[in-house]
Amino acid sequence: MGKALILCLLLAGCATPVSPARQVWCEHNQQRRPSVAVVAAMTRPELDEVNAYNGKGARWCGWKP
């Protein structure tokens, strides 16, 4: 019984619709992949911003690193 409940909960989570705002964000944005030279010249806050942006895309849109 416990395994069946867990399975149902997992499947229900997969059926949750994506919010319209998230869908629009994914449609209008793409991964940022700066070159090695650009990364070397970036400041720590700039690197953090790019990493946060790409992390959001990975969570929301399924981007692969």
Side-chain angles (χ1 to χ4, degrees):
M1 176 67 179
K3 290 181 184 179
L5 178 60
I6 291 172
L7 179 62
C8 288
L9 291 173
L10 289 173
L11 292 175
C14 294
T16 305
V18 175
S19 74
R22 188 179 287 196
Q23 185 176 1
V24 168
W25 192 91
C26 290
E27 289 172 0
H28 289 91
N29 292 284
Q30 58 185 351
Q31 264 184 310
R32 294 181 187 165
R33 293 189 178 265
S35 68
V36 173
V38 171
V39 170
M42 293 173 85
T43 64
R44 180 80 261 169
E46 290 171 330
L47 289 169
D48 291 342
E49 191 275 328
V50 169
N51 288 331
Y53 173 87
N54 286 338
K56 179 179 180 178
R59 286 187 311 278
W60 282 19
C61 312
W63 297 346
K64 302 291 181 201

